[in-house]
Amino acid sequence: MKDVILVENVWKVFGRTVALRNISIKVSKGSVFLLMGPNGSGKSTLLKIVTGLIKPSRGKVEVFGTNPWKQRHRIFTHLGAMFEDHAPPDWTSGKAYLEYKSILKKAENPEKEALAVAKPFGVDTFWKHPFYTYSSGMKRKLALADAFINDPDLVILDDPTVALDKEARLALQEIVVNRAKQNKTCVIASHIITEFEQHITHLAFLNLGQTIVTGKIEEVMDKVGIHQVTIRTNKPGKAAAILMKKRYAIKVYGNTIIVEGSEDANEIVKLLENLGIKAETEESKVNLWEMYTRALTSR
Ligand SMILES: Nc1ncnc2c1ncn2[C@@H]1O[C@H](COP(=O)(O)OP(=O)(O)OP(=O)(O)O)[C@@H](O)[C@H]1O
Ligand SMILES: [Mg+2]
């Protein structure tokens, strides 16, 4: 399947600052793609290039097979985006703004669409007031609602959870997960991420404008040297004791045991079952922070 986003050898230079150095990433359809890196690593710059808001200095960028800088109008209705500097005119109400954007995005019923995207984040509770009266969290919620107008095939969210309350974070998580089930793509940039950890399918770690590692979660775990097996058992205490005796490094979370440094789940399950302990393998729990730390320090 064709990639939704293709970035090849992209550079971005602002005066004397090289913000992006030869970045290459691919985002496939239906993925929940995390772009993670320290402050100033180039996340927002890259996402603005992908959205067609700024021009790359060098390199190739395609979104749905189209050059976003030259032909932004062709991707505009399929792409929703939110950035930290999202700012409607001060005097516009959130309602008027979302309805206006819904018209631009060719929604069948702009008023209905505006309400549909406002509701999950509670924007409709304050949206009759002008934008300049909004708190930072309210501004973020409006920007998020905007990004989801017409349920676009691709949504780009730059640091979406900053300033958001818990309800809005959960609402966002639910939307992203549901979209992935419908094979719709989300790219999320962050320097810290917790809610999405278990839902991320692909990622790229950036540092100093460069891609340190990118790919599917499992590929990245492999590349940064995280090998682990997760098993579930009804006798975690006994199982842990056996595994420790066999010199496995383990972590126990309730009925779940993570066995580090091993990739052979069958061997571990067999070992336990031979000693009368029921065990089954589970999909591996992803520890993004560990992956991130390893990726950044291995350079
Ligand atoms: N318009 C601009 N003019 C000059 N330099 C810029 C501009 N935009 C970004 N930069 C520089 O490019 C680099 C990357 O910035 P960018 O905003 O992409 O980082 P980021 O990874 O999004 O950081 P953060 O986590 O703080 O949001 C930084 O050194 C920044 O100062
Ligand atoms: Mg940024």
Side-chain angles (χ1 to χ4, degrees), residues 14 17 19 38-45 84 159 191:
F14 294 107
T17 307
N39 296 134
S41 55
K43 305 180 294 295
S44 300
T45 304
E84 49 211 339
D159 256 332
H191 52 275

